[in-house]
Amino acid sequence: MPFIQLSGVALSFGARDLIKNATLNLQDGSRAALTGPNGAGKSTLMKIAAGLIKQDSGDVIITKGARVVYLPQTGIRFDQGSIRNIAEEAFGFWHKKLAEQDRLGQALATPGITEKETARLLEEHHAIGEALENAGYWRRDERIADVLSGLDFKPRDFDRSAGELSGGWQMRLALARVLLSDPDIMLLDEPTNYLDLEARTWLEGFLKDYRGAVLLVSHDRYFLDVTVREVYELFNGNLTRYAGTYSQYEKRRSQELAALFDAWERQQEEIQRIEDFIRRFRYKESKAPQVQSRIKMLEKITPIEIPEGMKRIHFSFPPAPRSGHAVVRLNDVSKSYGATHVLGSFSLEVERGQKLALVGPNGAGKSTLMRIIAGVETNFEGEITYGANVILAYFSQESAELMASDSTVEEEAESICPPDMLPKIRNLLGAFLFRDDDIEKPISVLSGGERSRLALLKLLLKPSNLLVLDEPTNHLDLTSKDILLEALKRYEGTVIFVSHDRQFLDELADRVLELSCGSTPRLYHGNYAYYLEKKAREQSALADSARARSEGGVGTGSGVVLPVTRASVPAPTSGRDWADDKARKANLRKLKRREEEISARIDEIAAKKTAYQAELADPRVYVNGDRTKKILADIAALDRETERLNNEWLEIAQELGEEEA
């Protein structure tokens, strides 16, 4: 069974211990997330596991012959070859295996070969043939098409030169090549960065069916929740494992962090009190002994460290000036590029305070519609009018790229910051991942992602009552997304936005406008979860209707959703109402009790697995092959039980949500 194990791994940069005594174990079927504050060393740890960086101490143990593939966040570029040919390069390992099989075939044809040698060569030849078949080598054209299409490459573009692709599409192609290589262990550093919702959903399904081990870093909470079954957190150099889904990790970790933050705040208050005493009485001779005593007390305090990215930062928008009730009206708006219809003719009114999400596949016209609403795109059919006193602020990746200044990051933010928020400007910069020396960087040297974050912060600091946001979460980590999300939820103005982050869509949108390549957009009055549920019901009704027609019946699934009015639902009697309520409460108690039992069992499994991993960390255990196999088999059994419990936990959580609603 292929596996990779990090045991006691440590790495320092100068005086900073980036990673301390880290232990990690991945084997067939592992689905693990690597998380931690920005700058904690997650990418570095992955590079150590991939053999790209040498650790200072500790061991990286990989099963002989196991293939480990690492996908970095950025930096991969293909200048030569077509998209299809670069995808084909993923099978390089198997091309070599085929050549090796051919050599074995030639050796078998050698005159005078012994029977024993023939048997050995035949066995090796057969083993390679079986491996080629299992790897899908003979179906590679079909697999290439499936993976490229899943990541939203169009078949007509497969023979395009890869050098024509933008940076984001280059990284999609790099991800496709990694997935097609079918390694034993995949180390994926932010694979969702450049993927839209459809491609992320496809990747979720791919990873679910993948037989090997996966360790991934992602800033998409929903993607992590449906993908991983264990979480490794890198915090202050220490690597800690949490069994269960990402939501379960966050729930447990939030309790631990709450205690840590409380202790840190108490310590800060104590340090402040001691320092105030020292400053106040430093130059009073009569207080010299007490001052010296306080100085010694200060020196003995072991500071509680909290990385900048995890400190509590609250961000609120400047108050939104009140606009008219109707904020923006679109009348018979449509847009075409030549013969290509991007937006079918439609009308829409957005009211004050609404949070409208635009959704749809790539090329459906989301960004085009955003530019029309923002007044950037003027070449369209129809009419757009704004309500009284509307102050519009527009964010896109292009607006970030156009930002030019000789100022530093801090000076640029201060130039736009309202006076009452100036004392908090460094905290706000920290919330958008500008910390320490980063705030002194000139604008001219910022990367695209850094420019994007700064442009977004500048936009949010301006008083406005209509925010038009095209992919605002693209370059933010989970903590920064949470800060932005909470601020937008409290924002009293109107928001029209596009995002590929499922949780962001779920929690912010109260209206969803679906766009689909040239068709008339459709408005759904509800959040993103409601939109998905409604779409699923409509598709099910259409399928029922098609099935009924094929069977010769009239069918009831016409796809038309009949309105449900209060009068059409019989009112329950008070007795039935009481009985239903009693049964519901009993079911709630039962579900919560089972939820607690599952959490307790997952903790027990985690403790057992930790003990096994500690045993595996001892090189002497590998002397006894049977014992090693037994430990690995027990770990696999525990993982299977954890997966079953996680699935049950998710079902219970969903049912609890429905019951409590």
Side-chain angles (χ1 to χ4, degrees):
M1 180 189 293
F3 72 88
I4 182 171
Q5 181 179 295
L6 276 62
S7 178
V9 166
L11 181 71
S12 299
F13 287 141
R16 183 190 174 196
D17 293 327
L18 187 66
I19 299 169
K20 313 170 190 172
N21 195 33
T23 295
L24 180 148
N25 187 57
L26 299 171
Q27 57 188 333
D28 266 6
S30 290
R31 295 291 181 273
L34 179 59
T35 189
N38 197 53
K42 300 185 293 293
S43 296
T44 302
L45 186 65
M46 278 196 159
K47 289 175 182 175
I48 290 173
L52 301 175
I53 292 178
K54 180 67 178 171
Q55 68 274 19
D56 293 335
S57 60
D59 298 306
V60 178
I61 303 165
I62 303 175
T63 313
K64 185 178 179 181
R67 293 184 301 122
V68 180
V69 177
Y70 166 65
L71 178 74
Q73 291 180 30
T74 55
I76 295 180
R77 180 160 187 85
F78 306 102
D79 293 316
Q80 303 294 324
S82 69
I83 291 170
R84 189 195 307 273
N85 289 343
I86 286 165
E88 171 78 29
E89 290 173 3
F91 295 89
F93 174 81
W94 299 109
H95 292 334
K96 291 176 183 176
K97 283 291 181 184
L98 182 61
E100 185 181 336
Q101 189 183 45
D102 289 342
R103 285 194 298 272
L104 290 169
Q106 291 167 12
L108 281 165
T110 304
I113 188 171
T114 66
E115 187 177 330
K116 183 178 180 182
E117 184 66 6
T118 299
R120 183 185 68 79
L121 292 172
L122 279 172
E123 186 179 346
E124 290 182 19
H125 190 279
H126 176 73
I128 291 174
E130 210 170 49
L132 287 166
E133 181 61 37
N134 291 338
Y137 181 78
W138 306 113
R139 304 181 302 280
R140 62 188 182 281
D141 288 343
E142 181 185 338
R143 289 188 59 211
I144 287 170
D146 286 345
V147 170
L148 289 177
S149 298
L151 295 176
D152 212 22
F153 289 93
K154 301 295 182 280
R156 64 178 178 270
D157 295 327
F158 287 2
D159 293 315
R160 274 181 62 194
S161 169
E164 299 173 16
L165 298 176
S166 67
W169 284 96
Q170 292 265 354
M171 290 309 298
R172 282 199 194 206
L173 183 53
L175 173 60
R177 195 169 68 164
V178 167
L179 300 179
L180 285 165
S181 68
D182 194 35
D184 298 299
I185 296 157
M186 286 196 291
L187 309 173
L188 306 177
D189 197 351
E190 307 233 25
T192 58
N193 258 7
Y194 301 98
L195 303 184
D196 58 17
L197 275 168
E198 291 74 21
R200 290 183 192 204
T201 302
W202 177 87
L203 181 58
E204 290 164 13
F206 183 96
L207 293 179
K208 184 177 180 181
D209 296 334
Y210 172 62
R211 58 168 179 76
V214 181
L215 177 68
L216 61 89
V217 174
S218 175
H219 291 153
D220 185 326
R221 185 179 273 105
Y222 179 83
F223 178 80
L224 288 172
D225 224 17
V226 299
T227 305
V228 306
R229 297 191 290 267
E230 58 183 337
V231 177
Y232 286 91
E233 184 196 65
L234 192 56
F235 180 79
N236 281 344
N238 297 305
L239 190 68
T240 306
R241 181 184 175 277
Y242 294 81
T245 65
Y246 194 80
S247 287
Q248 289 170 321
Y249 149 75
E250 284 198 310
K251 184 177 178 181
R252 294 173 198 155
R253 192 62 176 125
S254 65
Q255 295 168 350
E256 296 172 0
L257 286 174
L260 180 66
F261 283 130
D262 288 343
W264 177 77
E265 287 170 354
R266 286 196 302 273
Q267 187 180 75
Q268 293 302 304
E269 290 172 3
E270 176 67 7
I271 290 171
Q272 186 66 49
R273 187 180 62 78
I274 294 171
E275 287 178 342
D276 286 347
F277 183 92
I278 293 169
R279 275 193 298 272
R280 185 177 177 187
F281 298 111
R282 181 182 290 276
Y283 302 108
K284 287 196 175 184
E285 192 175 338
S286 61
K287 297 286 186 179
Q290 292 95 323
V291 168
Q292 288 302 314
S293 172
R294 298 300 193 283
I295 291 172
K296 288 178 182 177
M297 286 170 61
L298 206 56
E299 289 170 350
K300 288 179 181 177
I301 291 175
T302 302
I304 296 170
E305 295 181 22
I306 296 180
E308 285 295 322
M310 300 190 78
K311 290 182 181 175
R312 293 166 175 165
I313 297 171
H314 299 286
F315 172 70
S316 295
F317 291 96
R322 189 172 179 82
S323 68
H325 180 71
V327 175
V328 60
R329 288 191 182 95
L330 284 75
N331 297 310
D332 296 324
V333 166
S334 64
K335 171 67 181 176
S336 299
Y337 292 102
T340 305
H341 299 289
V342 179
L343 290 173
S345 180
F346 77 108
S347 298
L348 174 72
E349 179 174 292
V350 182
E351 299 174 354
R352 182 178 62 238
Q354 286 182 352
K355 309 291 193 291
L356 174 68
L358 309 187
V359 303
N362 269 351
K366 299 187 294 294
S367 293
T368 299
L369 181 54
M370 298 286 270
R371 289 197 298 272
I372 289 172
I373 293 171
V376 175
E377 176 66 67
T378 56
N379 184 20
F380 62 93
E381 299 296 321
E383 181 185 21
I384 181 167
T385 56
Y386 302 97
N389 196 34
V390 168
I391 304 170
L392 186 149
Y394 172 54
F395 171 80
S396 71
Q397 301 304 315
E398 290 79 9
S399 61
E401 291 165 9
L402 292 172
M403 185 170 57
S405 172
D406 294 327
S407 305
T408 65
V409 168
E410 184 174 25
E411 289 166 347
E412 189 74 7
E414 286 177 340
S415 70
I416 203 72
C417 186
D420 61 316
M421 298 181 76
L422 274 172
K424 304 175 184 175
I425 193 65
R426 290 205 170 196
N427 278 346
L428 295 176
L429 285 167
F432 285 78
L433 309 181
F434 292 104
R435 304 182 183 110
D436 303 325
D437 295 340
D438 288 341
I439 67 172
E440 301 300 331
K441 282 183 178 179
I443 305 298
S444 57
V445 305
L446 295 183
S447 67
E450 289 171 326
R451 282 173 176 265
S452 179
R453 295 198 303 270
L454 183 58
L456 179 60
L457 176 59
K458 285 179 63 182
L459 181 92
L460 301 180
L461 288 171
K462 295 178 185 176
S464 64
N465 50 30
L466 172 58
L467 290 175
V468 181
L469 306 176
D470 195 355
E471 302 276 14
T473 61
N474 254 10
H475 299 281
L476 303 180
D477 66 5
L478 280 167
T479 304
S480 303
K481 283 181 188 178
D482 288 345
I483 293 167
L484 176 61
L485 177 60
E486 289 306 313
L488 286 170
K489 284 160 74 173
R490 293 193 301 270
Y491 177 62
E492 294 179 354
T494 306
V495 184
I496 302 173
F497 71 102
V498 172
S499 176
H500 291 150
D501 187 288
R502 171 68 183 271
Q503 185 210 8
F504 199 83
L505 282 164
D506 272 342
E507 296 197 23
L508 183 59
D510 56 25
R511 302 284 190 282
V512 175
L513 184 69
E514 180 190 54
L515 286 76
S516 55
C517 301
S519 300
T520 301
R522 293 184 61 191
L523 182 65
Y524 291 79
H525 292 262
N527 64 8
Y528 188 71
Y530 167 80
Y531 157 73
L532 291 178
E533 182 185 344
K534 191 80 177 283
K535 289 288 289 182
R537 286 206 303 266
E538 289 172 359
Q539 288 168 2
S540 176
L542 286 171
D544 289 345
S545 178
R547 189 162 49 247
R549 284 196 301 272
S550 69
E551 293 170 358
V554 176
T556 57
S558 64
V560 177
V561 180
L562 296 175
V564 178
T565 63
R566 188 176 298 276
S568 67
V569 182
T573 64
S574 59
R576 184 189 301 171
D577 196 29
W578 175 84
D580 288 346
D581 188 58
K582 183 178 179 182
R584 185 183 64 81
K585 288 179 179 176
N587 191 39
L588 271 175
R589 288 194 297 273
K590 180 182 174 183
L591 289 170
K592 288 178 178 177
R593 189 162 56 247
R594 180 56 184 155
E595 185 182 39
E596 290 170 2
E597 290 170 358
I598 290 172
S599 294
R601 178 56 185 157
I602 286 174
D603 287 339
E604 288 175 15
I605 291 172
K608 284 185 181 179
K609 195 167 176 183
T610 300
Y612 281 139
Q613 287 171 336
E615 194 170 348
L616 284 174
D618 185 353
R620 289 173 295 181
V621 79
Y622 297 97
V623 175
N624 185 342
D626 290 339
R627 177 58 182 160
T628 305
K629 289 177 185 176
K630 174 73 166 56
I631 292 172
L632 291 172
D634 287 347
I635 289 175
L638 291 174
D639 283 338
R640 287 193 296 272
E641 185 179 358
T642 300
E643 181 180 9
R644 180 180 60 75
L645 290 170
N646 284 336
N647 290 335
E648 187 181 351
W649 185 89
L650 285 170
E651 289 173 6
I652 288 173
Q654 184 177 353
E655 193 173 347
L656 274 171
E658 291 169 357
E659 287 282 3
E660 289 170 345

